[in-house]
Amino acid sequence: MITLTGKSVFGGVSIGKLSFYKRNQKVIKRTHVDDVEAECSRFQDAKAEAVGQLKELYDKAIEDVGEANAMIFEIHQMMLEDLDYIESIENIIRTQEVNAEFAVATTADNFAQMFASMDDAYMQGRAADVKDVSERVLDILCGVGEGVKQTDELSIIAADDLAPSETVQLDKSKVLGFATMYGSSNSHTAILARTMNIPAVIGLGEALSQDYDGKMAVIDGFTGTLYIDPDEETLTVMKEKRAKDLEQKALLEQLKGKENVTKSGQKINVYANIGNVSDVGAVLKNDAGGIGLFRSEFLYLENDTFPTEEQQFAVYKQVAENMAGKKVIIRTLDIGADKQVDYFGLDKEDNPALGYRAIRICLTRTEIFKTQLRALYRAAMFGNISIMFPMIISVGEIHKIKAIIAEVKAELKAEGIPYREDVELGVMIETPASVMISRELAKEVDYFSVGTNDLTQYTLAIDRQNSKLDEFYDPHHPAVLAMIKMAADNAHAEGKWIGICGELGADLELTEEFLKMGLDELSVSPSMVLPLRKRIRECE
């Protein structure tokens, strides 16, 4: 048995095989070819090899998960043999005289977009399948093996660390837990683990070797320990620990439908933070009162190019409809710093956390901002949508935002496109500057939401992504709490409400302190809604 110790970012116990996250190293470039027929043959050979791989996967899946669950691999084989798909690829090769890789990638994008735009839910689901089978062909053409990023069975995902763009692509239904070499408790891996309510250990160092790929492992998220090839005694202890944890979670389920009210009668809203449409189910399952933070930048991280107005409108509309009148606060894109997107063409910065990011991009690249605002105002017709702006440091920024909103409304009206006029507007309080001028800001907007992750970082002058500084990073620091109280007092002085949407909102040690400050709302990962409700109901 090998025992590795790191830092826990979410409690619980997971038992399963260790699966290292594998990154594809292929780059698809468009190149001219002279012999188009030879290139078509290259494609046909790669397709035949891909079909062979899928047949092997089908046979293995029948043994592991039964015939019904193995059917997906038969569907993938059929997609590779689809005449429309094949003809599209070969037509691109012949007419444009380009390489097979480019033709496959282009066809995959075109077909996926076509499926995704269909009304039928089954056909929409085929968009991901056509991308999957095309990736398999591209891996063969590029000579990078199968390039599997994640196994097809339940597993503990191991990696050096995971970027935001990688966490959003994981098949979350197959993830038992996370174990990473690096990262901090504020990394996106950690946030995802808390959102998914699964155990995670970070900072295991280079002792977490790829040699352990496929071995049985146990994550003890309570102690921050990873056991590889656990002995029988350890396995027994961990199974008992897991059973007790699941029993406790079952007790919390009994709190569903209960009010978020203290023993003395003080009420507070408990909302949930999400990253995409697929998280809405977890919000409803955990009985959150609304969505306090929809991180819209994940739409941009998932895309290969700027998401269109229609793409964004469809997502925001679906979330609003699914929440059936409950509040949905959508934060405008917060790209930059640790969330980099290639097609934005952002320059490399020495200090990106203090750089060109969030509202600063929106106010200087207004065509991107206006596209998102148009989608938001249109989607607000279908539910209770509020808009929130990140990284605000001045009243002047709010005036510029309102001027752009006025332009967007005028354009929509002129085009005869329905939109909601009275959308609630709020700002993130996540810089010391926004705290110090919070009284003036409160006169301009409808509400505040405190982003404690960045507020702590900027108040303490500590890079929250730097694991070496974890011992100095103290979100309970008196200065941070004083900043939150000051913002709350100023919001209430102007008759506006204030909440917290940062990770600190889920810190049960501070719940009573936040209630004393008079905070009106706490927005946390869906998995923390019920534990937070329990803590609120215990407070005097």
mmCIF file of all heavy atoms in Angstrom, residues 191-228:
data_model
loop_
_atom_site.group_PDB
_atom_site.id
_atom_site.type_symbol
_atom_site.label_atom_id
_atom_site.label_comp_id
_atom_site.label_asym_id
_atom_site.label_seq_id
_atom_site.Cartn_x
_atom_site.Cartn_y
_atom_site.Cartn_z
ATOM 1 N N ILE A 191 -13.064 23.826 -6.744
ATOM 2 C CA ILE A 191 -14.420 24.369 -6.847
ATOM 3 C C ILE A 191 -15.357 23.346 -7.490
ATOM 4 O O ILE A 191 -16.486 23.151 -7.048
ATOM 5 C CB ILE A 191 -14.408 25.695 -7.638
ATOM 6 C CG1 ILE A 191 -13.696 26.782 -6.816
ATOM 7 C CG2 ILE A 191 -15.822 26.138 -7.998
ATOM 8 C CD1 ILE A 191 -13.405 28.061 -7.587
ATOM 9 N N LEU A 192 -14.865 22.656 -8.523
ATOM 10 C CA LEU A 192 -15.681 21.637 -9.192
ATOM 11 C C LEU A 192 -16.017 20.503 -8.231
ATOM 12 O O LEU A 192 -17.142 20.014 -8.190
ATOM 13 C CB LEU A 192 -14.954 21.092 -10.418
ATOM 14 C CG LEU A 192 -15.713 20.031 -11.226
ATOM 15 C CD1 LEU A 192 -16.960 20.620 -11.860
ATOM 16 C CD2 LEU A 192 -14.834 19.416 -12.288
ATOM 17 N N ALA A 193 -15.029 20.082 -7.435
ATOM 18 C CA ALA A 193 -15.261 18.999 -6.470
ATOM 19 C C ALA A 193 -16.350 19.380 -5.470
ATOM 20 O O ALA A 193 -17.229 18.577 -5.147
ATOM 21 C CB ALA A 193 -13.963 18.671 -5.734
ATOM 22 N N ARG A 194 -16.306 20.621 -5.007
ATOM 23 C CA ARG A 194 -17.319 21.063 -4.053
ATOM 24 C C ARG A 194 -18.691 21.157 -4.717
ATOM 25 O O ARG A 194 -19.712 20.861 -4.097
ATOM 26 C CB ARG A 194 -16.906 22.410 -3.446
ATOM 27 C CG ARG A 194 -15.745 22.276 -2.449
ATOM 28 C CD ARG A 194 -15.491 23.562 -1.691
ATOM 29 N NE ARG A 194 -14.762 24.531 -2.461
ATOM 30 C CZ ARG A 194 -13.446 24.704 -2.419
ATOM 31 N NH1 ARG A 194 -12.709 23.941 -1.629
ATOM 32 N NH2 ARG A 194 -12.855 25.628 -3.129
ATOM 33 N N THR A 195 -18.697 21.589 -5.983
ATOM 34 C CA THR A 195 -19.964 21.685 -6.722
ATOM 35 C C THR A 195 -20.580 20.302 -6.914
ATOM 36 O O THR A 195 -21.784 20.114 -6.785
ATOM 37 C CB THR A 195 -19.730 22.331 -8.103
ATOM 38 O OG1 THR A 195 -19.189 23.632 -7.914
ATOM 39 C CG2 THR A 195 -21.025 22.434 -8.884
ATOM 40 N N MET A 196 -19.716 19.320 -7.210
ATOM 41 C CA MET A 196 -20.196 17.960 -7.493
ATOM 42 C C MET A 196 -20.402 17.122 -6.228
ATOM 43 O O MET A 196 -20.913 16.015 -6.298
ATOM 44 C CB MET A 196 -19.191 17.249 -8.410
ATOM 45 C CG MET A 196 -19.124 17.818 -9.809
ATOM 46 S SD MET A 196 -17.735 17.131 -10.745
ATOM 47 C CE MET A 196 -18.154 15.385 -10.726
ATOM 48 N N ASN A 197 -19.960 17.675 -5.094
ATOM 49 C CA ASN A 197 -20.118 16.946 -3.826
ATOM 50 C C ASN A 197 -19.333 15.641 -3.837
ATOM 51 O O ASN A 197 -19.826 14.590 -3.427
ATOM 52 C CB ASN A 197 -21.607 16.680 -3.562
ATOM 53 C CG ASN A 197 -21.875 16.242 -2.130
ATOM 54 O OD1 ASN A 197 -21.024 16.413 -1.257
ATOM 55 N ND2 ASN A 197 -23.037 15.675 -1.883
ATOM 56 N N ILE A 198 -18.082 15.711 -4.329
ATOM 57 C CA ILE A 198 -17.239 14.515 -4.345
ATOM 58 C C ILE A 198 -15.898 14.815 -3.669
ATOM 59 O O ILE A 198 -15.422 15.946 -3.709
ATOM 60 C CB ILE A 198 -16.995 13.993 -5.780
ATOM 61 C CG1 ILE A 198 -16.340 15.063 -6.655
ATOM 62 C CG2 ILE A 198 -18.278 13.470 -6.401
ATOM 63 C CD1 ILE A 198 -15.949 14.564 -8.026
ATOM 64 N N PRO A 199 -15.279 13.811 -3.062
ATOM 65 C CA PRO A 199 -14.012 14.015 -2.351
ATOM 66 C C PRO A 199 -12.894 14.448 -3.291
ATOM 67 O O PRO A 199 -12.843 14.032 -4.453
ATOM 68 C CB PRO A 199 -13.705 12.642 -1.761
ATOM 69 C CG PRO A 199 -15.001 11.910 -1.755
ATOM 70 C CD PRO A 199 -15.752 12.430 -2.945
ATOM 71 N N ALA A 200 -12.011 15.293 -2.786
ATOM 72 C CA ALA A 200 -10.875 15.747 -3.587
ATOM 73 C C ALA A 200 -9.690 16.041 -2.683
ATOM 74 O O ALA A 200 -9.851 16.602 -1.599
ATOM 75 C CB ALA A 200 -11.242 16.989 -4.386
ATOM 76 N N VAL A 201 -8.511 15.637 -3.156
ATOM 77 C CA VAL A 201 -7.257 15.936 -2.452
ATOM 78 C C VAL A 201 -6.313 16.579 -3.456
ATOM 79 O O VAL A 201 -6.113 16.063 -4.566
ATOM 80 C CB VAL A 201 -6.612 14.652 -1.869
ATOM 81 C CG1 VAL A 201 -5.293 14.992 -1.179
ATOM 82 C CG2 VAL A 201 -7.557 13.979 -0.887
ATOM 83 N N ILE A 202 -5.739 17.723 -3.086
ATOM 84 C CA ILE A 202 -4.814 18.434 -3.966
ATOM 85 C C ILE A 202 -3.428 18.469 -3.313
ATOM 86 O O ILE A 202 -3.265 18.074 -2.162
ATOM 87 C CB ILE A 202 -5.304 19.866 -4.252
ATOM 88 C CG1 ILE A 202 -5.395 20.640 -2.935
ATOM 89 C CG2 ILE A 202 -6.630 19.850 -4.974
ATOM 90 C CD1 ILE A 202 -5.647 22.121 -3.098
ATOM 91 N N GLY A 203 -2.445 18.953 -4.061
ATOM 92 C CA GLY A 203 -1.113 19.153 -3.499
ATOM 93 C C GLY A 203 -0.402 17.872 -3.111
ATOM 94 O O GLY A 203 0.395 17.856 -2.166
ATOM 95 N N LEU A 204 -0.648 16.789 -3.844
ATOM 96 C CA LEU A 204 0.002 15.508 -3.528
ATOM 97 C C LEU A 204 1.437 15.456 -4.036
ATOM 98 O O LEU A 204 2.200 14.557 -3.666
ATOM 99 C CB LEU A 204 -0.801 14.344 -4.123
ATOM 100 C CG LEU A 204 -2.178 14.104 -3.476
ATOM 101 C CD1 LEU A 204 -3.063 13.256 -4.380
ATOM 102 C CD2 LEU A 204 -2.023 13.451 -2.107
ATOM 103 N N GLY A 205 1.807 16.416 -4.883
ATOM 104 C CA GLY A 205 3.179 16.483 -5.384
ATOM 105 C C GLY A 205 3.479 15.425 -6.434
ATOM 106 O O GLY A 205 2.601 14.668 -6.863
ATOM 107 N N GLU A 206 4.737 15.359 -6.821
ATOM 108 C CA GLU A 206 5.133 14.458 -7.900
ATOM 109 C C GLU A 206 5.179 12.991 -7.471
ATOM 110 O O GLU A 206 5.435 12.112 -8.293
ATOM 111 C CB GLU A 206 6.479 14.908 -8.474
ATOM 112 C CG GLU A 206 6.358 16.266 -9.150
ATOM 113 C CD GLU A 206 7.648 16.717 -9.801
ATOM 114 O OE1 GLU A 206 8.596 15.918 -9.884
ATOM 115 O OE2 GLU A 206 7.696 17.888 -10.215
ATOM 116 N N ALA A 207 4.911 12.747 -6.196
ATOM 117 C CA ALA A 207 4.779 11.359 -5.742
ATOM 118 C C ALA A 207 3.564 10.698 -6.387
ATOM 119 O O ALA A 207 3.477 9.477 -6.479
ATOM 120 C CB ALA A 207 4.653 11.317 -4.217
ATOM 121 N N LEU A 208 2.611 11.538 -6.847
ATOM 122 C CA LEU A 208 1.451 11.024 -7.579
ATOM 123 C C LEU A 208 1.902 10.731 -9.016
ATOM 124 O O LEU A 208 1.800 11.558 -9.907
ATOM 125 C CB LEU A 208 0.314 12.056 -7.563
ATOM 126 C CG LEU A 208 -0.987 11.646 -8.270
ATOM 127 C CD1 LEU A 208 -1.589 10.407 -7.646
ATOM 128 C CD2 LEU A 208 -1.983 12.802 -8.251
ATOM 129 N N SER A 209 2.412 9.524 -9.209
ATOM 130 C CA SER A 209 3.035 9.158 -10.477
ATOM 131 C C SER A 209 2.034 8.516 -11.439
ATOM 132 O O SER A 209 1.092 7.837 -11.025
ATOM 133 C CB SER A 209 4.181 8.176 -10.217
ATOM 134 O OG SER A 209 4.613 7.570 -11.409
ATOM 135 N N GLN A 210 2.256 8.733 -12.742
ATOM 136 C CA GLN A 210 1.410 8.107 -13.761
ATOM 137 C C GLN A 210 1.549 6.587 -13.754
ATOM 138 O O GLN A 210 0.741 5.878 -14.369
ATOM 139 C CB GLN A 210 1.759 8.658 -15.140
ATOM 140 C CG GLN A 210 1.419 10.126 -15.290
ATOM 141 C CD GLN A 210 0.806 10.454 -16.656
ATOM 142 O OE1 GLN A 210 0.349 9.580 -17.378
ATOM 143 N NE2 GLN A 210 0.806 11.729 -16.990
ATOM 144 N N ASP A 211 2.564 6.077 -13.068
ATOM 145 C CA ASP A 211 2.726 4.622 -12.937
ATOM 146 C C ASP A 211 1.549 4.004 -12.195
ATOM 147 O O ASP A 211 1.306 2.790 -12.285
ATOM 148 C CB ASP A 211 4.021 4.292 -12.172
ATOM 149 C CG ASP A 211 5.262 4.704 -12.949
ATOM 150 O OD1 ASP A 211 5.152 4.881 -14.186
ATOM 151 O OD2 ASP A 211 6.335 4.854 -12.331
ATOM 152 N N TYR A 212 0.818 4.832 -11.444
ATOM 153 C CA TYR A 212 -0.309 4.325 -10.652
ATOM 154 C C TYR A 212 -1.620 4.310 -11.441
ATOM 155 O O TYR A 212 -2.666 3.966 -10.901
ATOM 156 C CB TYR A 212 -0.501 5.174 -9.383
ATOM 157 C CG TYR A 212 0.721 5.241 -8.496
ATOM 158 C CD1 TYR A 212 1.104 6.441 -7.884
ATOM 159 C CD2 TYR A 212 1.507 4.108 -8.259
ATOM 160 C CE1 TYR A 212 2.226 6.500 -7.068
ATOM 161 C CE2 TYR A 212 2.630 4.163 -7.449
ATOM 162 C CZ TYR A 212 2.991 5.368 -6.860
ATOM 163 O OH TYR A 212 4.097 5.423 -6.055
ATOM 164 N N ASP A 213 -1.568 4.689 -12.708
ATOM 165 C CA ASP A 213 -2.767 4.717 -13.549
ATOM 166 C C ASP A 213 -3.412 3.324 -13.591
ATOM 167 O O ASP A 213 -2.742 2.329 -13.871
ATOM 168 C CB ASP A 213 -2.399 5.160 -14.964
ATOM 169 C CG ASP A 213 -3.615 5.446 -15.825
ATOM 170 O OD1 ASP A 213 -4.638 5.880 -15.263
ATOM 171 O OD2 ASP A 213 -3.552 5.236 -17.051
ATOM 172 N N GLY A 214 -4.706 3.252 -13.297
ATOM 173 C CA GLY A 214 -5.440 1.986 -13.335
ATOM 174 C C GLY A 214 -5.434 1.206 -12.037
ATOM 175 O O GLY A 214 -6.118 0.189 -11.920
ATOM 176 N N LYS A 215 -4.659 1.651 -11.045
ATOM 177 C CA LYS A 215 -4.604 0.937 -9.761
ATOM 178 C C LYS A 215 -5.785 1.323 -8.871
ATOM 179 O O LYS A 215 -6.331 2.424 -8.989
ATOM 180 C CB LYS A 215 -3.298 1.250 -9.031
ATOM 181 C CG LYS A 215 -2.061 0.648 -9.711
ATOM 182 C CD LYS A 215 -0.817 0.839 -8.866
ATOM 183 C CE LYS A 215 0.403 0.199 -9.512
ATOM 184 N NZ LYS A 215 0.308 -1.268 -9.578
ATOM 185 N N MET A 216 -6.160 0.402 -7.983
ATOM 186 C CA MET A 216 -7.229 0.669 -7.031
ATOM 187 C C MET A 216 -6.750 1.730 -6.045
ATOM 188 O O MET A 216 -5.596 1.716 -5.612
ATOM 189 C CB MET A 216 -7.611 -0.616 -6.281
ATOM 190 C CG MET A 216 -8.751 -0.441 -5.287
ATOM 191 S SD MET A 216 -10.276 0.199 -6.017
ATOM 192 C CE MET A 216 -10.748 -1.178 -7.081
ATOM 193 N N ALA A 217 -7.638 2.670 -5.708
ATOM 194 C CA ALA A 217 -7.247 3.750 -4.806
ATOM 195 C C ALA A 217 -8.421 4.162 -3.927
ATOM 196 O O ALA A 217 -9.590 3.876 -4.228
ATOM 197 C CB ALA A 217 -6.735 4.947 -5.601
ATOM 198 N N VAL A 218 -8.093 4.833 -2.837
ATOM 199 C CA VAL A 218 -9.107 5.387 -1.930
ATOM 200 C C VAL A 218 -8.731 6.828 -1.620
ATOM 201 O O VAL A 218 -7.582 7.113 -1.273
ATOM 202 C CB VAL A 218 -9.189 4.595 -0.601
ATOM 203 C CG1 VAL A 218 -10.205 5.249 0.335
ATOM 204 C CG2 VAL A 218 -9.549 3.142 -0.850
ATOM 205 N N ILE A 219 -9.687 7.729 -1.778
ATOM 206 C CA ILE A 219 -9.493 9.113 -1.333
ATOM 207 C C ILE A 219 -10.215 9.285 -0.014
ATOM 208 O O ILE A 219 -11.413 9.003 0.089
ATOM 209 C CB ILE A 219 -10.072 10.122 -2.347
ATOM 210 C CG1 ILE A 219 -9.180 10.245 -3.569
ATOM 211 C CG2 ILE A 219 -10.229 11.503 -1.709
ATOM 212 C CD1 ILE A 219 -9.656 11.271 -4.573
ATOM 213 N N ASP A 220 -9.478 9.734 0.992
ATOM 214 C CA ASP A 220 -10.092 10.149 2.242
ATOM 215 C C ASP A 220 -10.092 11.675 2.238
ATOM 216 O O ASP A 220 -9.098 12.326 2.569
ATOM 217 C CB ASP A 220 -9.311 9.625 3.447
ATOM 218 C CG ASP A 220 -9.993 9.971 4.775
ATOM 219 O OD1 ASP A 220 -10.882 10.837 4.765
ATOM 220 O OD2 ASP A 220 -9.622 9.390 5.810
ATOM 221 N N GLY A 221 -11.220 12.237 1.817
ATOM 222 C CA GLY A 221 -11.323 13.685 1.705
ATOM 223 C C GLY A 221 -11.373 14.405 3.030
ATOM 224 O O GLY A 221 -11.238 15.620 3.089
ATOM 225 N N PHE A 222 -11.552 13.656 4.117
ATOM 226 C CA PHE A 222 -11.579 14.286 5.445
ATOM 227 C C PHE A 222 -10.162 14.596 5.930
ATOM 228 O O PHE A 222 -9.926 15.602 6.599
ATOM 229 C CB PHE A 222 -12.287 13.378 6.462
ATOM 230 C CG PHE A 222 -13.732 13.117 6.129
ATOM 231 C CD1 PHE A 222 -14.135 11.874 5.663
ATOM 232 C CD2 PHE A 222 -14.685 14.114 6.266
ATOM 233 C CE1 PHE A 222 -15.470 11.626 5.361
ATOM 234 C CE2 PHE A 222 -16.016 13.875 5.961
ATOM 235 C CZ PHE A 222 -16.406 12.629 5.505
ATOM 236 N N THR A 223 -9.219 13.723 5.589
ATOM 237 C CA THR A 223 -7.842 13.890 6.070
ATOM 238 C C THR A 223 -6.877 14.327 4.968
ATOM 239 O O THR A 223 -5.716 14.622 5.256
ATOM 240 C CB THR A 223 -7.327 12.569 6.674
ATOM 241 O OG1 THR A 223 -7.307 11.563 5.641
ATOM 242 C CG2 THR A 223 -8.212 12.108 7.821
ATOM 243 N N GLY A 224 -7.340 14.356 3.725
ATOM 244 C CA GLY A 224 -6.457 14.731 2.628
ATOM 245 C C GLY A 224 -5.479 13.631 2.257
ATOM 246 O O GLY A 224 -4.344 13.907 1.873
ATOM 247 N N THR A 225 -5.917 12.381 2.360
ATOM 248 C CA THR A 225 -5.035 11.238 2.115
ATOM 249 C C THR A 225 -5.499 10.444 0.899
ATOM 250 O O THR A 225 -6.695 10.252 0.680
ATOM 251 C CB THR A 225 -5.008 10.301 3.348
ATOM 252 O OG1 THR A 225 -4.721 11.069 4.506
ATOM 253 C CG2 THR A 225 -3.960 9.212 3.182
ATOM 254 N N LEU A 226 -4.517 9.984 0.118
ATOM 255 C CA LEU A 226 -4.790 9.088 -1.011
ATOM 256 C C LEU A 226 -4.072 7.772 -0.750
ATOM 257 O O LEU A 226 -2.854 7.739 -0.561
ATOM 258 C CB LEU A 226 -4.299 9.702 -2.320
ATOM 259 C CG LEU A 226 -4.435 8.811 -3.571
ATOM 260 C CD1 LEU A 226 -5.896 8.621 -3.951
ATOM 261 C CD2 LEU A 226 -3.661 9.404 -4.747
ATOM 262 N N TYR A 227 -4.837 6.682 -0.706
ATOM 263 C CA TYR A 227 -4.254 5.346 -0.534
ATOM 264 C C TYR A 227 -4.270 4.639 -1.891
ATOM 265 O O TYR A 227 -5.319 4.530 -2.530
ATOM 266 C CB TYR A 227 -5.070 4.521 0.471
ATOM 267 C CG TYR A 227 -5.157 5.127 1.850
ATOM 268 C CD1 TYR A 227 -6.286 5.845 2.251
ATOM 269 C CD2 TYR A 227 -4.118 4.988 2.766
ATOM 270 C CE1 TYR A 227 -6.391 6.402 3.513
ATOM 271 C CE2 TYR A 227 -4.211 5.541 4.040
ATOM 272 C CZ TYR A 227 -5.340 6.243 4.396
ATOM 273 O OH TYR A 227 -5.420 6.801 5.656
ATOM 274 N N ILE A 228 -3.119 4.154 -2.331
ATOM 275 C CA ILE A 228 -3.012 3.424 -3.595
ATOM 276 C C ILE A 228 -2.739 1.957 -3.273
ATOM 277 O O ILE A 228 -1.878 1.644 -2.454
ATOM 278 C CB ILE A 228 -1.889 4.007 -4.475
ATOM 279 C CG1 ILE A 228 -2.219 5.467 -4.815
ATOM 280 C CG2 ILE A 228 -1.732 3.196 -5.757
ATOM 281 C CD1 ILE A 228 -1.082 6.251 -5.375
#
